[in-house]
Amino acid sequence: MPSPLHVAFVAGPEGPWRIERMATLAGEALPAAERLRLIEGPDAATVPADAWLLRGVTSNARYSNRREVDALAAKPNVLRRPAATRAALIPIRKTSAWWDLAQDERRAVLEEQSRHIAIGMEYMPAVARRLHHSRDLGEPFDFLTWFEYAPEHEAAFDEMVGRLRDTPEWRYVDREVDVRLSRD
Ligand code: HEM
């Protein structure tokens, strides 16, 4: 996949992913919808809105250091595996206090204080992931995080999300909706 890759997550009556449940962890909820589709590439900018539509773009890493980049690259991270019939779309917005921090302070909260990358890597390759940035697109969320896994790894995924939400980094999250999906 070329980067940056523009992506639109479109919720409405159509799409390969069935929306099983939506939980609002912080801030405003998203409207209820039946299904979700992903539009990737140039069409992501023009696809019309349905029940809701969120746009993001893949980007370069901001916080990972060389050792982490190499460790991540050594773990398979493959989307659309046939066995991965479960997915989570977790849009996240962070507070102005977060964005007021300097780059090195944000890195310290994310990894030295919260072990975000170390925790997440424990769950690869069972969980495949892609991070989309939305803040600079003027979107309601700062990030659209996307994960795919097989049904037997759902409990592990829930455990990981719980561990992350317990960290100092999450004190800076002021909107978070956890959208869980399945496909046949
Ligand atoms: C497979 C498990 C996971 C791994 C390996 C992982 C890894 C990473 C890495 C390496 C980054 C930093 C990218 C950079 O350097 O800019 C990152 C950022 C991020 N991750 Fe995770 N992560 C995982 C799970 C999660 C989960 C479950 C969530 C949400 C509940 C999440 C939310 C985020 C967000 C919002 C960012 C952007 C942070 C920011 O730039 O302020 N991650 N993740």
Side-chain angles (χ1 to χ4, degrees):
M1 286 282 182
S3 188
L5 176 72
H6 285 262
V7 179
F9 293 88
V10 188
E14 283 166 33
W17 292 100
R18 193 168 39 247
I19 298 180
E20 298 288 353
R21 55 191 183 277
M22 290 202 270
T24 306
L25 282 301
E28 208 187 317
L30 285 170
E34 297 277 308
R35 306 192 73 95
L36 183 86
R37 59 202 168 101
L38 275 69
I39 311 290
E40 297 177 336
D43 292 346
T46 54
V47 60
D50 215 316
W52 46 265
L53 183 155
L54 297 170
R55 287 194 176 87
V57 61
T58 62
S59 187
N60 53 286
R62 310 307 203 243
Y63 303 115
S64 326
N65 63 28
R66 169 49 53 199
R67 189 181 49 76
E68 290 153 357
V69 167
D70 290 345
L72 281 161
K75 297 243 185 192
N77 182 35
V78 181
L79 294 176
R80 300 198 177 86
R81 292 168 295 178
T85 56
R86 299 290 181 275
L89 169 66
I90 309 183
I92 286 180
R93 187 182 68 200
K94 286 185 167 175
T95 60
S96 51
W98 171 263
W99 295 108
D100 285 344
L101 294 175
Q103 179 81 7
D104 58 338
E105 295 172 315
R106 291 198 292 262
R107 152 74 198 187
V109 174
L110 185 120
E111 195 57 21
E112 279 69 33
Q113 296 176 31
S114 304
R115 317 302 305 166
H116 181 132
I117 300 168
I119 291 172
M121 278 199 6
E122 288 177 35
Y123 298 86
M124 294 176 77
V127 177
R129 58 181 276 272
R130 195 166 70 197
L131 175 64
H132 311 83
H133 292 256
S134 299
R135 179 175 165 83
D136 292 350
L137 303 180
E139 285 281 307
F141 293 91
D142 294 333
F143 307 99
L144 306 176
T145 67
W146 175 259
F147 307 92
E148 294 178 4
Y149 44 89
E152 61 266 33
H153 294 129
E154 181 156 28
F157 182 79
D158 288 341
E159 175 191 271
M160 171 185 55
V161 179
R163 288 173 70 188
L164 289 173
R165 288 185 180 134
D166 243 3
T167 63
E169 183 190 353
W170 251 255
R171 290 189 212 133
Y172 294 93
V173 172
D174 71 356
R175 191 175 180 197
E176 178 176 8
V177 183
D178 188 329
V179 184
R180 295 301 178 95
L181 308 137
S182 72
R183 64 174 169 81
D184 299 327

